[in-house]
Amino acid sequence: MTDEAPACPECSQPMQSGGFVLSKREDDGRRTCRKLWRCTDRHVSWGWIDRPDEPLEVCPVPELFADIQR
């Protein structure tokens, strides 16, 4: 991920960092971190830390991260 805040894939508003989540990637089986992002409309997206050029994905379980700080 770059240092610049990305736009929300759902509403195009600027997003704020919400921390990191250790996750197992399906395509290569590696455990690596995802960076969480959240917009003011409470949409939660994430992206792989080691793949900064890939687009953010909408988080499929945003309720798990409902308490992340804005």
Side-chain angles (χ1 to χ4, degrees), residues 2-58:
T2 64
D3 290 337
E4 185 176 316
C8 177
E10 295 184 72
C11 67
S12 300
Q13 292 185 59
M15 301 190 88
Q16 292 183 321
S17 177
F20 300 93
V21 176
L22 183 62
S23 187
K24 184 175 181 182
R25 199 164 33 216
E26 290 183 19
D27 66 350
D28 63 6
R30 292 184 61 197
R31 288 176 25 162
T32 191
C33 286
R34 288 184 183 256
K35 187 169 186 178
L36 288 170
W37 295 93
R38 181 177 172 178
C39 73
T40 57
D41 279 346
R42 302 178 64 89
H43 297 130
V44 179
S45 297
W46 56 11
W48 295 109
I49 294 296
D50 64 342
R51 295 180 178 177
D53 295 330
E54 289 187 5
L56 290 178
E57 301 171 32
V58 174

